[in-house]
Amino acid sequence: MTPRFVADILRSTWLWHFSRVLITFMYWYAAIGFIIHFHSAEADITLTGLRPRWLIAGLTIAVELIGSGLIILDRAVWFGAGMLGVFTLLTIPLDHAFWNMTGLAAVQARLESEEHLTVVGGLIVVSILSFLRKEQGQPHRLASLSPSRPEFP
């Protein structure tokens, strides 16, 4: 049984908003950094071998900002999360190909790949929650899953 104060927090609007900002933090923060230091974005793209660097860097920034924005605004969360999820999965073979590395670099790249998979799982969860909240007609809070418990205002 979940204590009432915990249930109230889990149903709260502020926590729903805050969690969406947190799940997207690494994306929008990186995009802002790349905008401020566009040459760094191009340098990162150079390591992947993709061309033209300026276009790939621009698309990276766009995907990170648009995907994050959709999630934060709770609009088409499935699409924003899908954008970020595909982007994140693509970074594994492009940036973290641990199977082509040896030693400490391989270990570090494998760990980063595992972290990326975890983030994709979080993006899937936020998509599911957004869908369920809207399906219940409560975009700003979850309805009680137990019919015997009253709703909290």
Side-chain angles (χ1 to χ4, degrees):
M1 172 103 177
T2 304
R4 184 179 177 104
F5 79 95
V6 173
D8 288 345
I9 292 169
L10 293 175
R11 287 190 188 100
S12 68
T13 300
W14 68 265
L15 185 61
W16 176 234
H17 294 305
F18 185 62
S19 67
R20 294 191 324 269
V21 171
L22 285 180
I23 195 77
T24 59
F25 174 78
M26 74 177 198
Y27 298 106
W28 57 260
Y29 188 77
I32 291 169
F34 280 168
I35 290 169
I36 294 169
H37 304 287
F38 194 76
H39 62 280
S40 294
E42 288 184 305
D44 282 357
I45 299 302
T46 300
L47 300 174
T48 67
L50 297 173
R51 300 274 189 260
R53 293 179 308 196
W54 63 270
L55 178 61
I56 302 300
L59 289 172
T60 297
I61 291 167
V63 165
E64 289 178 327
L65 289 179
I66 293 168
S68 295
L70 289 172
I71 292 170
I72 291 169
L73 296 173
D74 201 11
R75 303 286 184 253
V77 172
W78 63 270
F79 187 67
M83 290 173 68
L84 296 176
V86 168
F87 169 79
T88 303
L89 291 174
L90 286 173
T91 65
I92 294 173
L94 293 173
D95 291 333
H96 310 295
F98 59 89
W99 52 90
N100 292 328
M101 302 174 184
T102 59
L104 190 55
V107 172
Q108 182 64 37
R110 183 183 54 80
L111 292 173
E112 289 173 1
S113 296
E114 292 168 359
E115 290 171 355
H116 282 35
L117 293 174
T118 301
V119 169
V120 171
L123 292 168
I124 293 168
V125 169
V126 81
S127 298
I128 293 167
L129 286 174
S130 177
F131 172 79
L132 291 176
R133 292 169 70 90
K134 289 176 182 177
E135 187 177 63
Q136 293 174 356
Q138 303 207 8
H140 297 296
R141 64 185 171 92
L142 281 172
S144 173
L145 297 178
S146 170
S148 63
R149 292 195 55 187
E151 290 295 321
F152 297 103

